[in-house]
Amino acid sequence: MEIVYVYVKKRSEFGKQCNFSDRQAELSIDIAPNPELAALYVERNPVDTGIQCSASMSEHEANTERFEMENCGVNHVEGGWPKDVNPLELEQTIRFRKKVEKDENYISTIVQLGSIMEHCIKQNNAIDIYEEYFNDEDDVEVTEEAPSAKTINVFRDPQEIKRTATHLSWHPDGNKKLAVAYSCLNFQRAPMGMSHDSYIWDLENPNQPELALKPPSPLVTLEYNPKDSHVLLGGCYNGQIACWDTRKGSLVAELSTIEFSHQDPVYGTIWLQSKTGTECFSASTDGQVMWWDIRKLSEPTEVVIMDISRKGQLENALGAISLEFESTLPTKFMVGTEQGIVISCNRKAKTPAEKIVCTFSGHHGPIYALQRNPFYPKNFLTVGDWTARIWSEDSRESSIMWTRYHMAYLTDGAWSPVRPAVFFTTKMDGTLDIWDLVFKQCDPALSLKVCDDALFCLRVQDTGCLIACGSQLGTTTLLEVSSSLSTLQRNEKNIASSIFERETRREKILEARHREMRLKEKGKVEGEDDGQKEEEGALDLNELVAKAEEEFFEIVFSELRRKDAEAMKKKPKSVRTSSFEACGRTGL
């Protein structure tokens, strides 16, 4: 007879069994009474005590010990075979199994291992080790902090003659220092006795700079080497490229010869992601982009002329104001020009015509800022004239998004390194605008009046929390933005990607429609021109026929008059009269 019992409740619903055991009491601490402390207490009389209907509650916090988590992978392979047995040979394994099964200890070992396995299986049935305790975590509503920013520090130009803070660069290790380039960009209006020094500031000591850099000419741009934080690269107002090593002091370590340098101020310098960490390139308004190696900075290793006619002639080159280089695209770089045109170039091309890949035109003045989106390199930001524009490499005729025209001139801009939909712009009225495309696209999410002077440049820290803004009078303001602007929001990458793709598709549709309308208009104009020419030809032919007829009859009438005159001289008067009348009637 077989006995069958059906369990109504699953074993996993019972939970883990609680096993309690008795043990001896333990004394953790023993504090003996001290009668001397009683004299220190003073009786309070009367005593006023507030009584509430609800129970008094208090909040307590506890810090648990931190533990490090590490993910490790395990590769399970078949093992336990003797050295003389190859597990890949089927015959050897079968022979060894038969040999082991004949052993006397085989059955007892299997029974012992079976009890251990049974215990583990029962544990798995009692407790679900894959249970997720916080499935509804995503459904919890998070109160978002309103966008805000506050001033942390202000670094002022220590010189008496104030100069413009033209460029900023964060220290690559820890972002505890800030390098600021100072110069006067007004052509031939630099005051007498103006200092050429630029400075490196420590964020914790705004009173005086940590190190002064002494270039031969005022610095327009200054960049830290991302691979060696002691090395800085600077572009001078006279066109030279300078290099410093902070371990050697304030003087220039390497300097390019002026014959092989730029002919105008160097407005852009960028380090390249090379193996040696010594390669860089620069751009100037003389229309040249030069590649350098700081180990031999006497002359450039390569020169590209910004001639969009693709002839490689320097007299036709466009002046470069801004540079952009993305390490993930090592052969491509972009240049923003004085004429409002962005030039996309290919460094590895062999001929000057192939080095200029394409152009993007949309600004009415110089492009002061040019930067690719750190999350989506296909999209890039440009700042010039009174607008900031977002472009896509797939749409060359027009930008896919742009801000409204501001009353004040825009001077600089940059993407947030942590949020793909956030970028920053500075204006001539001293305002810093923070744009959040996820929040709203028509107006900035936060507009902050930083100072009364014109803001000239800005730079965002790698963590996205700190922003440095340089003004026209040399004041560098350090701002800290709220966590909502410096923390990646939920699903923000997908939202930003969908926004860019949607606007790109819309712009392509508009471009195709405009192209079709232009072709129709061109065909219509050509048809009207052909009809007008035919009408003019017909009119000209009729006029010629009428004129020819008029001339013909005029000749005929003149000949008749001549003959009549001769006949009147030869015949009598009466005959001549009748003849004249006859001729007159005939002519009529």
Side-chain angles (χ1 to χ4, degrees), residues 264-285:
D264 286 351
V266 181
Y267 285 97
T269 53
I270 292 182
W271 289 96
L272 297 175
Q273 295 291 336
S274 59
K275 295 181 180 179
T276 59
T278 59
E279 296 182 9
C280 58
F281 69 114
S282 61
S284 172
T285 50

Side-chain angles (χ1 to χ4, degrees), residues 321-557:
I321 289 289
S322 53
L323 272 177
E324 166 58 28
F325 174 77
E326 175 61 37
S327 58
T328 58
L329 305 171
T331 61
K332 292 184 178 181
F333 67 95
M334 304 182 78
V335 180
T337 63
E338 287 182 304
Q339 291 75 15
I341 299 174
V342 178
I343 304 176
S344 178
C345 306
N346 185 4
R347 182 190 176 189
K348 297 300 182 181
K350 297 180 180 179
T351 62
E354 294 176 352
K355 289 183 178 181
I356 306 297
V357 178
C358 61
T359 59
F360 304 85
S361 58
H363 286 281
H364 306 295
I367 298 176
Y368 293 112
L370 173 62
Q371 185 184 10
R372 290 184 184 270
N373 190 298
F375 296 87
Y376 306 103
K378 186 173 64 174
N379 302 105
F380 57 93
L381 170 72
T382 59
V383 173
D385 51 65
W386 300 270
T387 61
R389 295 175 178 267
I390 299 175
W391 303 75
S392 173
E393 289 186 344
D394 298 334
S395 177
R396 299 180 181 179
E397 294 187 10
S398 175
S399 55
I400 60 173
M401 300 179 71
W402 56 88
T403 65
R404 58 181 173 85
Y405 280 83
H406 297 276
M407 297 299 294
Y409 212 75
L410 270 66
T411 55
D412 202 357
W415 288 102
S416 170
V418 294
R419 290 194 55 189
V422 173
F423 64 93
F424 309 89
T425 58
T426 55
K427 295 188 293 187
M428 289 288 287
D429 59 358
T431 304
L432 170 68
D433 289 338
I434 303 176
W435 297 80
D436 189 349
L437 300 180
V438 176
F439 182 56
K440 55 181 176 179
Q441 302 176 10
C442 299
D443 298 309
L446 178 63
S447 186
L448 188 66
K449 182 74 172 178
V450 178
C451 60
D452 296 331
D453 307 322
L455 293 179
F456 196 86
C457 60
L458 73 88
R459 202 66 177 266
V460 187
Q461 195 188 33
D462 293 338
T463 59
C465 299
L466 300 179
I467 305 172
C469 302
S471 71
Q472 195 169 9
L473 293 183
T475 302
T476 304
T477 306
L478 191 63
L479 303 168
E480 182 181 9
V481 297
S482 59
S483 60
S484 61
L485 294 172
S486 59
T487 305
L488 186 65
Q489 302 298 311
R490 186 181 305 159
N491 205 27
E492 182 179 355
K493 289 184 179 180
N494 295 332
I495 295 174
S497 176
S498 63
I499 290 174
F500 294 148
E501 290 177 359
R502 180 194 68 203
E503 296 299 327
T504 303
R505 286 196 304 269
R506 182 184 66 86
E507 199 61 35
K508 285 183 178 179
I509 293 171
L510 291 176
E511 288 177 4
R513 178 61 178 162
H514 289 166
R515 197 178 301 114
E516 182 181 352
M517 292 175 63
R518 285 196 298 268
L519 290 174
K520 287 184 178 179
E521 190 69 25
K522 184 178 180 181
K524 186 178 178 181
V525 170
E526 290 179 353
E528 290 179 354
D529 292 343
D530 294 340
Q532 188 175 0
K533 288 179 180 178
E534 291 178 359
E535 291 178 1
E536 290 177 355
L539 291 174
D540 294 339
L541 182 60
N542 294 333
E543 289 178 359
L544 291 173
V545 171
K547 189 175 182 182
E549 290 181 352
E550 184 180 354
E551 292 178 352
F552 172 75
F553 285 114
E554 186 178 353
I555 293 171
V556 171
F557 291 150

